[in-house]
Amino acid sequence: MEARRREQCPDPEQTDVRARWEPEQSERRAGLRAAAVVVVRRHPTMVRALVEGCWAATEEALFHAVEVTPEPAAAG
């Protein structure tokens, strides 16, 4: 869910960086994202989730599972 929000409403700094990308870089990013979507949708777990009618919950759990979490501060 957070990943979707960031994609739809990126931080201004991220938007500025992407605006300076060469067209080839933007095309490459789009191609990689499209390929990733295909791979995820073909994964046996996701295929089973679709058959069982729990695609949305499984997809959301997947997004949460791969979210980057900040490292805990080192005790000093």
Side-chain angles (χ1 to χ4, degrees):
M1 191 170 198
E2 177 65 16
R4 288 186 199 138
R5 186 206 57 78
R6 286 192 312 261
E7 181 64 27
Q8 293 172 354
C9 305
D11 294 328
E13 182 178 322
Q14 185 180 30
T15 302
D16 292 343
V17 169
R18 288 184 186 168
R20 292 189 300 266
W21 283 2
E22 295 293 326
E24 296 81 19
Q25 290 174 300
S26 294
E27 290 172 18
R28 173 113 170 106
R29 177 182 177 273
L32 290 171
R33 287 184 59 78
V37 167
V38 170
V39 169
V40 168
R41 289 187 177 170
R42 289 184 180 168
H43 189 278
T45 300
M46 297 309 286
V47 170
R48 184 173 174 188
L50 183 61
V51 169
E52 294 177 358
C54 57
W55 170 271
T58 304
E59 183 182 38
E60 186 167 336
L62 174 66
F63 276 111
H64 288 296
V66 298
E67 283 182 335
V68 177
T69 55
E71 292 289 323

